């Protein structure tokens, strides 16, 4: 039974039809074949918002068949036709942005304003790739003999399996599905079981936009079973994944058997380096945004804040003032900027990292414990005197904890920053242009923000170096991940 609180929240939907609680296979809304379901809960209250089907191998196999059968007709449509469908989908997402944001806040916890921001960001990938659909050019290569002509065609890779996490319930899907559909691929999406409702609502809007049944399927439930079905199928030609490094490695290994194309967006361990010559206000504002967005639950969140000795005290004080003002609570409440963590395990991880740090000599400048609101709320926290040996520096904390690591020289900062297997985002704060270049080039990361804490956009390539992943999403580069190059040699033209 849904609680009255959950019912009241759902009643705020302008279009109640967007609350879907079935999977989408071949354009049909379906239950799991054995009738089993999984609960979707609001992390801020523990309320059950919906029960969705607990699907597995059989449902996924059917979704793959449907995507495979639709591939032929969808990929044969002109780029302009596919572009128009995507554009319509974009328009529908934008016209339903309040409802989609409400679903995001309900199932994921982020504040409503931030959820609205995610809808705009997520929609932008569909708009961008609707435009990009028409710009998938091939090449003509000057031949090596006069009776030959050499061409390069770019063709869609085929059926795509897209596995996505809970921290951006819409945007992690649109930035995969947008380019895939744009170039003619068909897709099976497996959203996180924590946040399937946004995915299902977005898929409903895709159907309304005229994206044909079977081009976009959504299955959820038993993640390893669904994953195995996608991995084992010879019809699935590409796996695209955003999530933990551990699961990403499993999917990469599992793709080897059928030699699928693989793109992975995995965990980060973002350094945020504040140099003595930084503009203090810019550094505080940027670090705050880079650290506390989504309560620290993004893979580009600043994980380690490296602060040069000369500015350390001043920066720690200013950051503390700013973090003290962050209002924690249910994301539906006006003024709240820090929602709950996704679940109990997430809070336990944060507690473990904070305890490890304090036991090794770090001091708690602010917070450092569960919030009095209970549930999975944790106090926005700042730790001082952190060093590279502590867990909080070695691994992604994925919570509202800002560890400050003092350093002396630029060289030392670069060494500390690169001393990790991760390589997704990095941030630097300095007023020096030569230093901006030097450090940006030295950082072994896929994204670098200079004097800026929020840098993701659909027009720029997003992706990691080292064990943070393979491939790039968004931008003109993002569509290459869904394309196969074909070289055609025409010979004997003068015969
Ligand atoms: P997180 O820690 O962010 O939840 P996960 O990597 O566990 O990251 O989850 C990301 C996505 O991967 C989710 O949709 C999850 O259900 C899915 N997933 C988890 N385990 C597997 C698996 N063995 N095979 C396929 N997908 C999986």
């Amino acid at each position: 039974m849904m609680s009255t609180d959950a019912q009241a929240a759902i009643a705020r939907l302008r279009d109640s039809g967007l609350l879907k609680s079935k999977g989408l296979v071949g354009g049909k809304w379906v239950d799991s074949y054995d009738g089993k379901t999984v609960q979707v809960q609001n992390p801020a209250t523990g309320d059950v918002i919906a029960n969705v089907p607990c699907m597995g191998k059989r449902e996924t196999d059917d979704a793959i068949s449907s995507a495979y059968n639709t591939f032929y007709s969808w990929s044969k449509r002109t780029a302009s036709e596919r572009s128009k469908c995507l554009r319509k989908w974009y328009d529908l997402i934008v016209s339903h942005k309040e409802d989609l944001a409400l679903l995001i806040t309900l199932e994921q916890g982020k504040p409503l304003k931030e959820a609205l921001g995610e809808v705009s960001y997520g929609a932008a990938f569909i708009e961008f790739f609707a435009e990009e659909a028409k710009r998938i050019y091939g090449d003509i290569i000057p031949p090596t003999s006069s009776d030959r002509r050499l061409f390069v065609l770019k063709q869609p890779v085929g059926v795509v399996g897209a596995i996505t996490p809970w921290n951006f319930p819409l945007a992690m899907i649109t930035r995969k599905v947008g380019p895939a559909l744009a170039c003619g691929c068909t897709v099976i999406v497996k959203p996180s079981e924590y946040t399937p409702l946004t995915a299902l609502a977005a898929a409903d809007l895709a159907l309304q936009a005229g994206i044909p049944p079977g081009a976009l399927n959504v299955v959820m439930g038993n993640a390893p079973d669904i994953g195995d079905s996608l991995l084992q199928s010879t019809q699935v030609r590409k796996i695209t994944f955003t999530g933990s490094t551990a699961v990403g490695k499993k999917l990469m290994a599992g793709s080897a058997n059928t030699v699928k194309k693989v793109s992975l967006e995995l965990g980060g361990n973002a350094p945020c380096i504040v140099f003595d010559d930084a503009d203090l206000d810019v550094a505080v504002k940027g670090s705050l945004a880079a650290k506390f967005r989504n309560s620290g639950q993004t893979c580009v969140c600043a994980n380690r804040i490296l602060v040069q000795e000369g500015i350390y005290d001043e920066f720690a004080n200013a950051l503390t003032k700013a973090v003290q003002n962050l209002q924690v609570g249910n994301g539906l409440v006006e003024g709240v900027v820090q929602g709950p963590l996704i679940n109990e395990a997430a809070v336990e991880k944060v507690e473990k990292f904070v305890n490890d740090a304090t036991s090794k000599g770090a001091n708690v400048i602010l917070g450092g414990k569960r919030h009095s609101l209970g549930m999975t709320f944790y106090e926005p926290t700042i730790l001082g005197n952190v060093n590279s040996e502590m867990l909080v520096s070695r691994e992604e904390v994925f919570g509202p904890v800002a560890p400050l690591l003092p350093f002396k020289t630029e060289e030392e900062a670069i060494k500390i920053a690169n001393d990790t297997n991760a390589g997704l985002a990095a941030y630097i704060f300095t007023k020096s242009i030569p230093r901006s270049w030097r450090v940006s080039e030295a950082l072994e990361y896929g994204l670098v923000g200079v004097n800026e804490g929020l840098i993701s956009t659909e027009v720029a390539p997003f992706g990691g170096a080292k064990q943070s992943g393979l491939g790039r999403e968004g931008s003109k580069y993002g569509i290459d991940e869904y394309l196969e190059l074909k070289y055609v040699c025409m010979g004997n033209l003068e015969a």
Side-chain angles (χ1 to χ4, degrees):
M1 266 297 286
M2 208 194 278
S3 76
T4 46
D5 278 358
Q7 277 168 346
I10 291 295
R12 287 171 62 169
L13 286 174
R14 293 173 190 195
D15 177 355
S16 58
L18 276 190
L19 182 69
K20 295 278 178 238
S21 51
K22 289 175 192 258
L24 182 63
V25 176
K28 299 218 161 54
W29 296 101
V30 294
D31 287 316
S32 60
Y33 296 166
D34 62 8
K36 280 201 190 124
T37 57
V38 253
Q39 290 185 340
V40 183
Q41 289 184 356
N42 179 344
T45 61
D47 286 341
V48 177
I49 314 164
N51 289 287
V52 296
C54 184
M55 298 171 142
K57 179 164 174 32
R58 284 188 299 149
E59 296 86 344
T60 310
D61 287 348
D62 287 347
I64 295 169
S65 299
S66 142
Y68 188 74
N69 293 333
T70 313
F71 176 68
Y72 186 78
S73 55
W74 179 245
S75 59
K76 287 286 173 291
R77 291 213 197 173
T78 64
S80 158
E81 287 170 328
R82 286 196 303 271
S83 171
K84 286 195 177 84
C85 286
L86 285 170
R87 176 74 212 188
K88 186 118 194 263
W89 190 20
Y90 165 77
D91 290 339
L92 286 170
I93 293 175
V94 171
S95 63
H96 291 81
K97 64 174 189 282
E98 278 88 7
D99 280 356
L100 290 166
L102 182 60
L103 288 174
I104 292 174
T105 298
L106 282 176
E107 64 181 353
Q108 199 274 334
K110 71 179 67 171
L112 200 53
K113 198 165 155 228
E114 215 176 309
L116 275 168
E118 181 184 342
V119 178
S120 301
Y121 174 57
F125 286 99
I126 304 297
E127 183 187 41
F128 182 87
F129 286 107
E131 294 157 353
E132 207 63 10
K134 294 181 272 185
R135 294 182 182 88
I136 302 169
Y137 301 111
D139 269 319
I140 300 172
I141 296 175
T144 47
S145 63
S146 60
D147 68 340
R148 286 181 161 196
R149 297 294 179 269
L150 315 184
F151 302 94
V152 178
L153 308 181
K154 288 189 180 176
Q155 296 181 306
V157 67
V159 174
V160 174
I163 301 177
T164 58
W166 49 264
N167 60 347
F168 288 90
L170 181 69
M172 295 304 102
I173 292 178
T174 54
R175 77 175 177 189
K176 298 178 184 325
V177 173
L181 290 178
C183 68
C185 294
T186 53
V187 191
I188 299 104
V189 173
K190 194 211 84 65
S192 165
E193 284 61 44
Y194 295 121
T195 58
L197 302 178
T198 310
L200 294 170
D204 187 39
L205 296 174
L207 284 179
Q208 290 179 34
I211 290 170
L216 173 60
N217 304 272
V218 185
V219 293
M220 76 233 86
N222 184 328
D225 280 5
I226 294 170
D228 285 348
S229 160
L230 293 170
L231 292 173
Q232 282 159 14
S233 168
T234 52
Q235 293 180 337
V236 175
R237 296 305 321 137
K238 155 108 196 170
I239 293 286
T240 172
F241 172 75
T242 299
S244 63
T245 308
V247 173
K249 286 178 181 176
K250 268 191 213 164
L251 295 174
M252 190 175 176
S255 294
N257 207 27
T258 49
V259 194
K260 295 185 205 310
K261 251 181 169 338
V262 180
S263 319
L264 304 170
E265 298 290 356
L266 311 176
N269 180 0
C272 172
I273 312 174
V274 181
F275 289 99
D276 283 347
D277 60 9
D279 176 314
L280 187 68
D281 290 344
V282 170
V284 169
K285 190 165 162 257
S287 312
L288 191 73
K291 174 66 249 183
F292 288 95
R293 183 158 71 124
N294 203 3
S295 300
Q297 302 173 110
T298 88
C299 44
V300 292
C301 272
N303 202 54
R304 298 169 287 162
I305 304 184
L306 280 56
V307 193
Q308 203 163 9
E309 278 181 345
I311 200 174
Y312 184 88
D313 289 335
E314 217 185 338
F315 177 83
N317 289 336
L319 186 69
T320 305
K321 274 206 190 103
V323 175
Q324 267 166 347
N325 290 330
L326 298 177
Q327 192 180 327
V328 181
N330 185 326
L332 294 179
V333 174
E334 183 77 33
V336 163
V337 290
Q338 290 286 287
L341 298 191
I342 190 70
N343 56 23
E344 180 59 26
V347 189
E348 283 168 12
K349 180 178 179 190
V350 170
E351 284 183 320
K352 180 174 148 197
F353 281 27
V354 170
N355 290 339
D356 172 80
T358 51
S359 76
K360 290 177 183 160
N363 59 303
V364 175
I365 300 177
L366 187 71
K369 57 183 191 302
R370 285 179 187 246
H371 197 278
S372 56
L373 285 169
M375 297 299 301
T376 55
F377 291 98
Y378 195 86
E379 286 186 2
T381 295
I382 302 178
L383 301 177
N385 279 321
V386 171
N387 65 42
S388 294
E389 306 311 313
M390 301 173 184
L391 265 180
V392 77
S393 307
R394 310 293 328 156
E395 292 175 34
E396 229 178 356
V397 64
F398 236 64
V401 179
L404 307 185
L405 291 77
F407 71 89
K408 287 193 173 68
T409 64
E410 178 182 309
E411 203 185 2
E412 186 193 357
I414 294 169
K415 195 158 166 268
I416 297 172
N418 286 340
D419 179 23
T420 166
N421 287 327
L424 189 55
Y427 307 89
I428 62 178
F429 291 90
T430 171
K431 279 195 287 213
S432 156
I433 291 175
R435 171 172 273 162
S436 300
W437 278 109
R438 264 195 322 267
V439 181
S440 296
E441 288 177 2
L443 288 169
E444 297 162 356
Y445 286 82
L447 325 167
V448 179
V450 181
N451 296 322
E452 190 55 76
L454 297 176
I455 61 171
S456 300
T457 155
E458 74 283 3
V459 303
F462 183 105
K466 295 184 180 168
Q467 295 186 24
S468 283
L470 288 177
R472 293 294 180 267
E473 296 194 301
S475 80
K476 65 173 181 176
Y477 306 103
I479 207 158
D480 291 341
E481 308 286 332
Y482 300 90
L483 292 166
E484 197 75 77
L485 290 187
K486 183 181 283 172
Y487 155 51
V488 179
C489 172
M490 284 196 190
N492 284 300
L493 291 175
E494 287 166 11

